[in-house]
Amino acid sequence: MLRALAILLACAAVLPADSLIPPLDSKQAEVTRRAIAEFKANIRGPYLRIRWYCKDGSILPPQDNPCKDKGGGVQHAEMGPAARQLAAWNIHAGTILTGLPYEELLDAGHYHHRLKELVLEQYLIEVDQGWIYRKAVSYRGARQIEDEEQAGRDFLTRLLADPQWTARNYHLATQLVRVLPHGVADSTIQKARALAAVAAEQDPRFQNLRAKIHSHPGVEDLAAVQAFIKDKSPPADAVQTLQSLAALLRTQQDPARWIPRLQAIARQLKATPFPGLIAELETAFREGGRETALTRAADLTIAIRDTVTTANNGRRNLLLLDLNSMIQEKAFEMRRPPSVTSRRAMLAHWFEHVRLAAGAGLLSPRQLDAIEKEIAALTANKEMDAAAYRRSLRYLNRAVEWCRATVQRDFGPVAAHYLPAEPAAAGFTDSLVRGSAALPLANLIEVLATDADRQSGLRHSLFGQEASAGVAGLNPGIATGRFGILREGEESANVDPRSIYVIPQTASDLKPMAGILTLDSGNMLSHAQLLAANLGIPNATIPSTLLPDLEAMAGKEVFYAVTPKGVVVLKEKDALTAAERKLWAAQPAAARKRIQLDTSRLRLDDRQLRSLSNVSAADSGVVCGPKAANLGQLAGYFPDKVAAGLVVPFGIFHQHIDRDLDGSGRTLQAQITEMVGEAEKMRERNAEPAEINAYVYPRLAHFRKVIEAMPLLPAFEKEITARMDAMFGPDGSYGVFVRSDTNAEDLPEFTGAGLNLTLANQVGAKTILRALRAVWASPFTERAHDWRSRALIGTDKVYPSVIVMRAVPSDKSGVIATADLETGDPETITVNLSEGVSAVVDGGVAESILISPDGGVRLLQQCRATYRKTLGAKGGFLNLPPLGGDTLLDSAEIAQLRAMVADVKRKYPPARAANGAVLPWDIEFGFEKGALRLFQIRPLVRFQELATLAALASLESPNASVRVSLDATP
């Protein structure tokens, strides 16, 4: 499968993350699993009994109509005790709309969790034989369909009367209209996919056809299902399911089935422009051919979105979204272009599906505009060089990732919340994507992206097979080692640093390894990505569909390379030719030389607390780390943009550990030096990593425990408390970030990004001093030690200074790289940001843009965060729903960023790589009520071993002279 489809499949792996609601603990998950199983087996499902709910608030037994004299009422089931317990844990199984207050169902404080549960519940019903209603489907009176439809209509009408809400949540709105009862039939596409999945469970021989219906559905599926029933003699339960599937597919293929409904909607919209658009679509469908009909469908779905997101007529908006559902379903059937066509025609056809994806809410107007501009620039050419063609196709391929990110934002958290108790939730987001306009986007761009690679002479190769655009190189590098696969939740396992691993995501706590194949590329400026790029660890994305083939190679010795242009080569080591062995054995990437940590300038006798404004770059590696030194210099250049802070120098930490703290008769510093020396001896004799770890890890744990518990020297505790009162205010009136800053990070040869601890928004002197000790202890974690030991010699001389910095309540925050991370262009700025405090480096789908020298903005990714962090009054963070909006930065904020970067380049002493090249800067920033704030600056260290990069280029076989004609067939 190709990259685009791989992006869709990534949705199936629901990843745990911070959320607006607490996740289920292990006990809650077990109770929920048992309750769901009991609901499935119970003839009443999650319900206890039928009751009358009167308008005066009374609840009465179901005898005649006891609410008659109480203002009226409704009858429906009462939730059982188990269901009420699950609801307390935000698992609202069996929701009944009738009588449910609007605000309770809206659940705005949890970013509409309850609404999203309704969409998930419908999916589980379809794929799991009725789910919790498996036996309760005939429980009469549990739900009165007329009441439920009325409640659904009332809720949707009120919801869709708020165009601001609809504009921010358009994709969610389309899904709610699809699943909430309000008198309109459900989508047959989702039902067909669900029935195919059930049939495959009932008869595993149907699995291949099920996969075809999920990934590449077509008119031929009906005949295939009928042939399966006839030729395979499936079991009785599967026959019934397959017959239902065949009937549904037959209904789908009836060309006239949707015309009467279309005409009825047109009559209800007679006072609007829509009857004309509907008539054009109907005419195109009858007379104009598939391509014309697809264009008219796209025109109509975009017009619907424009109206629904600007008008406050809830009833009409509901009717329009019902129409939109019909159009999306019909267009899904028209997704395939003619079998022989030009690149230009394929791009035109693909762009209609882009517009349909926008009409479905999968793409924002901003994203649609970005793709339209790229298409226009591309198709303005009759022909172009292969490299430019490939760059353009790589950008267009982002549209599929953008669709996936929308679905994951809207429904990833609810699926993740259910997953510990309901494994079937794992397929939910994947189902939503595959049943939408995103599927033809993926399938069509696959062909063009593969064509672009082929024209450029680039070939991915995985174990002898030419791979597709589903594979993409991230970090260049070379590795040889044993091949392994880490499962979900295994990232913190005792991995072998000499091995090459497939991992489910680029984890924030990633341990060092020889090479990485990741199912999710993550953030280009995340700490894990920076570490991998820094050390030349090859890293590439792969589609999850390749996992079965890759699993067969587990345990074997392999050769793995990612070239500077992103070509990925993975083969068994035994398959290397003699010439290849000679070439790659000479490269240093697999066993990169470690550098000696420079401690010649350390002043451990300097124990003076300093304000940030009193340190500069000259103090780096002398009294404090480069983070504090660079930040102090930044404060000197931008005094109004850097918050107040105190710097605790190396010498104070050394003074505290150069004591006998554990009664051993030796100072802790002496014990650290002994441990590092012994570990170096073990490496010199090529000891196994497991043997080294068995010696090192228990000692690291001891050091951490002792440091975190040690008493602070009284004079120091008194001084820092007084300085904080003077700088920040009365105790408890402020929060600070307590940040580690060692002499072994932000070096030209090694970044060390994210290895040591930062404790956010610490409030109260006792809490801050406890945090100080925890930060001092953090360089002694296993992960920090492993990464440093891979790059540095002399790690017994690693000392943390600490920055105690006033917390800033940023409305949005992020990271700037003063270069284009893909091309290396130093005149372009890369910006990643999200809403809230400390928003990007912790992960998530951040806004990502390029700002060109003329101020132009190129969208790489729109923010799709599921929450935003704010500072808690008593410390820590509060997670709140995102505010939304199509863009995060306004023109004034972009102007501030450009001016700041220009000032940094003009004023700041450049950092250089080992080869003398000027390094771009990595700058953490935020905006507080429109004012720019700066939190950190450091060199952006990338892998710079030129001999290795030159050798890697030999794998690329570029075809730079090829000209690509857009009017030719790919």
Side-chain angles (χ1 to χ4, degrees):
M1 304 298 289
L2 299 176
R3 175 172 172 74
L5 190 54
I7 292 169
L8 302 185
L9 287 168
C11 295
V14 180
L15 305 177
D18 288 348
S19 180
L20 295 170
I21 57 174
L24 300 176
D25 61 31
S26 58
K27 182 178 180 180
Q28 290 169 343
E30 177 58 32
V31 170
T32 304
R33 279 193 293 272
R34 290 200 302 267
I36 290 174
E38 290 169 3
F39 295 160
K40 292 177 182 180
N42 193 324
I43 59 171
R44 296 185 178 183
Y47 306 119
L48 176 63
R49 55 193 174 185
I50 307 298
R51 283 290 181 266
W52 275 94
Y53 294 81
C54 305
K55 289 186 177 181
D56 68 352
S58 56
I59 302 174
L60 302 172
Q63 299 173 355
D64 299 323
N65 184 354
C67 295
K68 187 175 181 181
D69 299 326
K70 299 178 182 294
V74 292
Q75 185 187 71
H76 57 76
E78 176 185 350
M79 305 305 297
R84 291 196 296 272
Q85 177 60 72
L86 266 56
W89 298 335
N90 294 289
I91 302 281
H92 297 92
T95 294
I96 295 174
L97 300 180
T98 304
L100 191 62
Y102 177 85
E103 296 296 341
E104 184 177 339
L105 181 57
L106 183 66
D107 199 15
H110 292 147
Y111 201 27
H112 313 304
H113 175 77
R114 290 208 63 175
L115 293 177
K116 295 168 184 179
E117 283 183 288
L118 295 175
V119 185
L120 172 58
E121 180 176 286
Q122 183 61 38
Y123 165 77
L124 294 172
I125 290 170
E126 292 170 350
V127 301
D128 193 20
Q129 304 175 60
W131 194 47
I132 57 173
Y133 309 106
R134 189 176 295 175
K135 294 290 182 66
V137 66
S138 59
Y139 182 35
R140 295 185 61 187
R143 300 186 188 193
Q144 303 290 342
I145 186 58
E146 296 86 357
D147 292 337
E148 287 293 280
E149 288 184 349
Q150 183 63 54
R153 273 195 304 274
D154 291 345
F155 177 82
L156 289 170
T157 299
R158 180 175 174 182
L159 184 72
L160 299 175
D162 180 356
Q164 288 186 331
W165 185 93
T166 310
R168 289 194 303 268
N169 301 278
Y170 192 73
H171 177 249
L172 174 59
T174 64
Q175 294 300 317
L176 292 174
V177 169
R178 182 178 65 83
V179 304
L180 262 64
H182 61 284
V184 176
D186 294 331
S187 165
T188 59
I189 293 173
Q190 298 291 347
K191 287 184 176 180
R193 296 184 69 254
L195 285 171
V198 172
E201 290 182 2
Q202 294 169 334
D203 189 336
R205 295 173 300 170
F206 190 71
Q207 184 61 43
N208 288 339
L209 188 50
R210 175 258 186 195
K212 197 269 181 191
I213 291 172
H214 275 228
S215 297
H216 297 279
V219 294
E220 65 278 6
D221 296 338
L222 174 58
V225 171
Q226 291 172 328
F228 187 92
I229 297 172
K230 179 180 178 182
D231 300 337
K232 301 295 185 180
S233 300
D237 58 346
V239 170
Q240 184 176 356
T241 301
L242 289 167
Q243 287 174 341
S244 298
L245 175 59
L248 197 59
L249 293 174
R250 194 177 297 110
T251 299
Q252 279 185 359
Q253 295 176 21
D254 179 0
R257 68 179 174 85
W258 64 297
I259 297 295
R261 175 66 177 153
L262 196 66
Q263 293 170 339
I265 291 177
R267 288 192 293 271
Q268 295 180 69
L269 295 168
K270 61 183 179 180
T272 73
F274 286 100
L277 293 172
I278 293 172
E280 289 178 4
L281 174 60
E282 184 179 344
T283 301
F285 178 72
R286 294 182 186 277
E287 304 172 5
R290 184 172 56 183
E291 294 304 306
T292 302
L294 192 66
T295 300
R296 296 293 172 262
D299 291 342
L300 188 49
T301 194
I302 292 295
I304 290 171
R305 179 168 184 162
D306 290 344
T307 298
V308 170
T309 55
T310 55
N312 60 5
N313 187 328
R315 189 174 300 277
R316 187 182 66 189
N317 288 343
L318 178 54
L319 184 63
L320 286 171
L321 286 181
D322 283 333
L323 173 62
N324 195 51
S325 294
M326 293 175 56
I327 296 166
Q328 292 288 335
E329 184 171 338
K330 188 61 183 175
F332 190 84
E333 301 168 11
M334 300 185 291
R335 67 197 172 281
R336 292 187 178 180
S339 56
V340 178
T341 189
S342 68
R343 294 183 178 95
R344 190 182 305 278
M346 289 186 69
L347 284 166
H349 180 89
W350 181 78
F351 183 63
E352 297 303 341
H353 286 287
V354 170
R355 293 207 296 151
L356 285 158
L362 293 163
L363 297 174
S364 71
R366 180 186 180 196
Q367 290 170 331
L368 174 61
D369 181 64
I371 294 297
E372 185 171 15
K373 288 178 178 176
E374 186 69 23
I375 286 273
L378 175 59
T379 56
N381 303 282
K382 288 188 176 181
E383 65 174 26
M384 60 197 307
D385 69 82
Y389 176 59
R390 181 173 182 264
R391 282 195 301 271
S392 189
L393 263 296
R394 282 169 64 89
Y395 185 82
L396 294 178
N397 198 34
R398 292 178 181 273
V400 182
E401 183 178 354
W402 294 346
C403 291
R404 180 207 66 80
T406 298
V407 174
Q408 189 65 21
R409 174 202 63 188
D410 287 347
F411 296 104
V414 70
H417 188 65
Y418 272 62
L419 191 58
E422 179 48 85
F428 175 45
T429 51
D430 176 49
S431 176
L432 289 177
V433 177
R434 285 180 177 272
S436 74
L439 182 64
L441 280 190
N443 290 338
L444 291 165
I445 203 68
E446 288 172 353
V447 178
L448 291 165
T450 302
D451 173 54
D453 278 351
R454 187 181 301 114
Q455 295 301 317
S456 299
L458 301 177
R459 300 285 193 278
H460 304 298
S461 175
L462 300 184
F463 297 118
Q465 300 297 315
E466 182 177 326
S468 66
V471 180
L474 298 175
N475 302 324
I478 302 169
T480 56
R482 192 174 299 276
F483 189 67
I485 297 176
L486 290 180
R487 302 296 177 185
E488 193 70 48
E490 294 179 341
E491 292 91 343
S492 59
N494 186 20
V495 301
D496 184 347
R498 301 170 300 181
S499 294
I500 296 161
Y501 289 97
V502 176
I503 65 173
Q505 60 175 324
T506 303
S508 60
D509 61 348
L510 191 68
K511 284 196 171 186
M513 53 189 65
I516 306 167
L517 292 133
T518 175
L519 297 180
D520 186 354
S521 64
N523 188 316
M524 291 185 72
L525 288 174
S526 69
H527 290 145
Q529 289 282 34
L530 290 175
L531 286 166
N534 177 197
L535 295 176
I537 296 174
N539 187 7
T541 59
I542 58 170
S544 58
T545 48
L546 292 179
L547 277 175
D549 294 332
L550 296 178
E551 285 172 339
M553 307 304 296
K556 297 185 177 182
E557 290 290 320
V558 301
F559 165 79
Y560 174 38
V562 179
T563 76
K565 288 188 177 180
V567 175
V568 179
V569 177
L570 186 63
K571 60 171 67 177
E572 286 192 67
K573 189 176 179 180
D574 290 344
L576 291 172
T577 66
E580 288 173 333
R581 288 176 183 274
K582 182 177 180 181
L583 175 63
W584 306 122
Q587 302 309 317
R592 192 176 185 230
K593 281 187 177 181
R594 296 189 296 156
I595 62 171
Q596 181 70 46
L597 179 62
D598 182 8
T599 59
S600 62
R601 299 168 59 240
L602 278 174
R603 288 286 308 276
L604 297 179
D605 59 341
D606 189 327
R607 298 161 186 164
Q608 178 185 353
L609 283 173
R610 291 167 167 81
S611 66
L612 269 179
S613 58
N614 289 329
V615 296
S616 68
D619 296 308
S620 178
V622 181
V623 298
C624 62
K627 188 183 299 179
N630 286 332
L631 192 53
Q633 188 131 332
L634 200 63
Y637 292 135
F638 305 98
D640 60 330
K641 294 180 172 58
V642 178
L646 278 174
V647 178
V648 182
F650 301 138
I652 292 178
F653 169 74
H654 183 261
Q655 183 184 26
H656 277 78
I657 68 165
D658 199 28
R659 299 181 290 169
D660 180 4
L661 294 168
D662 56 4
S664 65
R666 294 180 302 155
T667 69
L668 197 64
Q669 177 65 73
Q671 295 178 54
I672 293 169
T673 300
E674 179 185 17
M675 181 204 72
V676 171
E678 184 61 31
E680 285 297 325
K681 292 177 183 178
M682 297 171 76
R683 291 188 185 92
E684 289 171 3
R685 62 178 174 82
N686 294 320
E688 289 292 319
E691 180 186 351
I692 298 174
N693 294 344
Y695 170 76
V696 169
Y697 286 0
R699 286 161 177 80
L700 291 174
H702 174 68
F703 300 155
R704 292 196 304 274
K705 181 178 179 181
V706 170
I707 293 170
E708 289 174 354
M710 70 180 175
L712 295 176
L713 293 170
F716 166 69
E717 183 172 350
K718 181 179 179 181
E719 181 185 6
I720 192 172
T721 302
R723 291 289 298 272
M724 288 191 299
D725 286 347
M727 180 173 287
F728 303 129
D731 187 22
S733 68
Y734 60 88
V736 296
F737 277 54
V738 184
R739 309 174 68 180
S740 175
D741 181 29
T742 72
N743 59 321
E745 58 187 272
D746 294 352
L747 306 175
E749 306 88 351
F750 177 65
T751 178
L755 291 184
N756 305 309
L757 188 62
T758 289
L759 289 172
N761 196 30
Q762 303 295 294
V763 176
K766 290 183 178 179
T767 300
I768 294 169
L769 294 180
R770 185 165 55 248
L772 173 71
R773 288 192 291 265
V775 169
W776 272 347
S778 66
F780 301 95
T781 62
E782 296 170 5
R783 176 173 175 266
H785 173 271
D786 289 348
W787 277 103
R788 280 198 312 269
S789 298
R790 183 185 179 98
L792 303 173
I793 300 172
T795 57
D796 59 316
K797 300 295 193 298
V798 172
Y799 301 110
S801 62
V802 176
I803 307 167
V804 181
M805 191 174 183
R806 182 71 178 256
V808 175
S810 302
D811 305 308
K812 61 197 81 169
S813 58
V815 183
I816 289 173
T818 59
D820 183 331
L821 294 180
E822 184 171 350
T823 68
D825 177 10
E827 301 303 318
T828 300
I829 304 169
T830 304
V831 181
N832 282 8
L833 78 157
S834 291
E835 293 179 334
V837 179
S838 190
V840 170
V841 295
D842 291 339
V845 181
E847 177 110 341
S848 184
I849 60 174
L850 296 177
I851 303 177
S852 61
D854 63 1
V857 174
R858 182 172 173 82
L859 178 67
L860 302 180
Q861 174 62 278
Q862 190 167 330
C863 182
R864 288 292 180 256
T866 57
Y867 63 93
R868 57 188 170 93
K869 293 180 180 178
T870 62
L871 299 178
K874 296 183 179 180
F877 291 125
L878 297 177
N879 290 347
L880 299 176
L883 297 174
D886 222 23
T887 59
L888 289 188
L889 291 177
D890 60 33
S891 58
E893 291 167 336
I894 290 174
Q896 290 184 66
L897 290 179
R898 293 181 65 211
M900 180 271 294
V901 170
D903 281 346
V904 166
K905 289 183 176 181
R906 184 172 63 254
K907 298 176 180 179
Y908 220 88
R912 297 183 181 274
N915 62 5
V918 174
L919 296 170
W921 292 104
D922 167 6
I923 304 169
E924 291 185 21
F925 72 96
F927 279 99
E928 181 188 8
K929 297 179 180 178
L932 178 62
R933 303 286 182 251
L934 300 176
F935 307 126
Q936 182 170 303
I937 182 170
R938 61 186 172 199
L940 184 59
V941 182
R942 310 286 288 185
F943 184 50
Q944 296 294 331
E945 296 198 17
L946 300 181
T948 298
L949 297 181
L952 282 168
S954 68
L955 293 172
E956 294 173 346
S957 303
N959 204 359
S961 62
V962 168
R963 301 287 292 177
V964 178
S965 170
L966 293 182
D967 295 310
T969 302

